[in-house]
Amino acid sequence: MSRRLAKRRGRVSHEDLDALSGLDKSELHIRWEEAFSHPPPKYMRRNILVRAVAHETQLEAAGGVPAVLVRQLERAARSMRDGKTSTSASDHHRSASAVTIKPGTRLLRDWQDVTHEVIILEKGVQYRGREWSSLSAVAREITGTRWSGPRFFGLKGQKT
């Protein structure tokens, strides 16, 4: 499938992507050059060529790299150039996704047919009338195993 067709339709079919697997290496090199405007690395394996060209085809069909991601990458590159390591893209992502809970918030979690209630305090949490240092300590008390407290109480995304 040509990149012009992908761009025109705004989507790429599974058949189009599967067809890339059937191309020989010289055809993949041509597709690579169309996609990236330079030849592929000399010793790149065929399966990597297929995946890279498929990814680039899908990306173009979707309208390109999202502007917010471009800005984050530019900010990370600028920070690296300036010798700043504390503002990497991963640090930015980690801080942006951190959840802040106000004291007095009640968290409920059903575990083995028992509802457990935790109250967030200024420093720590309250569970069953006792103060605990962290949600993780409470999760460990409830389950008997090491858990991420924020994950156990549903404050962090679950793997799907």
Side-chain angles (χ1 to χ4, degrees):
M1 183 187 99
S2 76
R3 291 168 56 79
R4 287 180 297 275
L5 180 59
K7 194 172 189 178
R8 188 179 75 226
R9 288 195 324 200
R11 60 185 157 76
V12 181
S13 73
H14 292 290
E15 293 80 19
D16 293 334
L17 295 176
D18 289 341
L20 292 173
S21 297
L23 299 177
D24 65 27
K25 201 162 182 180
S26 64
E27 292 172 314
L28 282 171
H29 280 239
I30 292 168
R31 294 290 179 98
W32 177 285
E33 289 185 32
E34 288 174 356
F36 298 103
S37 302
H38 61 80
K42 189 173 183 177
Y43 296 106
M44 183 172 275
R45 293 186 323 195
R46 187 180 183 290
N47 66 331
I48 302 298
L49 284 169
V50 169
R51 290 177 184 200
V53 170
H55 177 264
E56 188 64 19
T57 302
Q58 289 174 314
L59 187 62
E60 184 175 307
V65 178
V68 66
L69 179 57
V70 170
R71 285 191 302 274
Q72 287 176 339
L73 291 170
E74 287 171 346
R75 187 172 32 248
R78 204 169 28 256
S79 294
M80 290 178 72
R81 262 193 316 273
D82 296 343
K84 297 177 186 174
T85 58
S86 63
T87 58
S88 70
S90 62
D91 288 344
H92 175 72
H93 176 72
R94 230 185 332 271
S95 66
S97 65
V99 175
T100 305
I101 303 172
K102 294 181 180 181
T105 301
R106 295 177 186 269
L107 302 176
L108 300 174
R109 173 62 149 83
D110 287 327
W111 180 259
Q112 296 183 345
D113 297 326
V114 177
T115 300
H116 299 274
E117 179 184 48
V118 173
I119 300 171
I120 305 298
L121 305 173
E122 288 288 337
K123 292 184 179 180
V125 296
Q126 182 180 19
Y127 172 67
R128 291 189 176 168
R130 286 182 44 204
E131 288 190 24
W132 298 76
S133 61
S134 68
L135 284 173
S136 295
V138 175
R140 192 173 310 120
E141 173 72 14
I142 294 169
T143 65
T145 60
R146 293 184 67 89
W147 268 80
S148 159
R151 176 158 291 182
F152 180 78
F153 283 99
L155 302 176
K156 280 190 176 178
Q158 299 290 322
K159 290 182 181 178
T160 56

